Amino acid sequence: AIAVLEMLLRDYPKDQFIYEAQILLGDIYLEMGENEQAIEIWRELLLKSPLTPEATEWQDALFSLGRTLFLISDARPEILQAATTDEAAEKQAALNYERVDEAIQWLDEFVRRRPQHPRAFEARWLLAKGLRFRIQKPADHIEHAETENTRIELNNEINSLAARAIAEFERLGDDLAVLEQQDLLNQVTAQFLRDAYFEPAHIQYRL
């Protein structure tokens, strides 16, 4: 399947189904564990194709790219307190932050453009999780700040990220509470709702 799709992309770049083929190729690479190839395909579609944000394929690539960038990052809660004690760990931490920063960019655009999209709940949940994770970067640096101005700037960044994360969790909770009243939650969205209730308190506790 990969060979056929790559041939289509190479030999028929102006075909009307070329963007659908790009989405499918990215999905296949992702299923095979070839995350970087999937990411590059979706990123290229978003940045280099003539598609507008109204196109279904553009929206699919937007969500898939943001979701994948976050999920391949080591952004588990226990990593937030993990000390980087060697060069390899520091490089991995830097890569995690880089990926999460890009994921935040794409996921934020997705929920702003398509708040009613079927994947909007997951996108907002991932966005809020990403913002929470990003708090740790300035939090780590503030301990070693050499000037008061630097400390103030880092503290402002922490508060800004925390406020954004809490706002996204609260918006998610409000939207899902409506579905809960209608008994329309499934196992996944029920977990999203639980996080929307508890994560803001966790964030505020760590400030």
Side-chain angles (χ1 to χ4, degrees):
I2 288 178
V4 172
L5 289 170
E6 288 181 338
M7 181 196 69
L8 290 173
L9 294 176
R10 182 183 65 251
D11 296 343
Y12 303 97
K14 296 184 179 181
D15 188 272
Q16 61 177 325
F17 297 112
I18 200 67
Y19 306 117
E20 184 177 344
Q22 279 183 275
I23 295 295
L24 180 57
L25 183 58
D27 290 340
I28 293 173
Y29 273 130
L30 188 64
E31 290 181 6
M32 295 175 59
E34 301 290 345
N35 301 320
E36 295 301 330
Q37 286 91 329
I39 286 170
E40 284 307 311
I41 287 171
W42 294 324
R43 189 185 283 138
E44 182 177 351
L45 189 151
L46 291 171
L47 297 177
K48 297 182 180 180
S49 79
L51 289 179
T52 66
E54 287 70 34
T56 298
E57 296 86 354
W58 196 92
Q59 296 165 14
D60 289 344
L62 186 64
F63 174 80
S64 295
L65 180 56
R67 180 179 187 273
T68 302
L69 282 164
F70 180 82
L71 293 180
I72 67 173
S73 303
D74 203 344
R76 293 167 295 165
E78 58 266 29
I79 300 300
L80 300 178
Q81 290 82 38
T84 55
T85 57
D86 55 45
E87 184 177 352
E90 289 179 358
K91 287 183 178 179
Q92 184 59 48
L95 180 59
N96 286 338
Y97 286 128
E98 181 181 328
R99 286 171 171 168
V100 171
D101 279 341
E102 187 179 357
I104 288 171
Q105 171 193 339
W106 298 122
L107 291 167
D108 182 66
E109 183 165 2
F110 184 85
V111 297
R112 282 189 294 104
R113 289 185 179 276
R114 297 302 308 274
Q116 304 304 320
H117 192 280
R119 307 302 295 271
F121 295 134
E122 183 179 4
R124 195 175 297 280
W125 178 78
L126 291 167
L127 173 58
K129 288 280 191 177
L131 289 164
R132 182 194 173 189
F133 175 74
R134 270 294 279 107
I135 293 171
Q136 190 61 29
K137 185 177 182 179
D140 287 342
H141 291 165
I142 203 170
E143 298 176 5
H144 309 289
E146 296 181 356
T147 68
E148 184 61 23
N149 284 341
T150 300
R151 183 179 296 276
I152 291 172
E153 289 176 1
L154 291 170
N155 193 59
N156 288 340
E157 183 180 358
I158 290 170
N159 290 332
S160 175
L161 288 165
R164 288 183 64 194
I166 290 171
E168 294 299 341
F169 277 123
E170 289 179 344
R171 169 69 185 274
L172 179 63
D174 290 344
D175 291 345
L176 289 175
V178 175
L179 296 186
E180 183 183 36
Q181 292 172 357
Q182 299 171 354
D183 197 25
L184 294 176
L185 294 181
N186 56 35
Q187 185 175 358
V188 174
T189 51
Q191 179 61 50
F192 293 165
L193 181 58
R194 179 187 179 280
D195 286 348
Y197 286 150
F198 287 102
E199 288 284 356
H202 291 164
I203 293 170
Q204 291 172 334
Y205 174 76
R206 296 189 180 279
L207 291 180

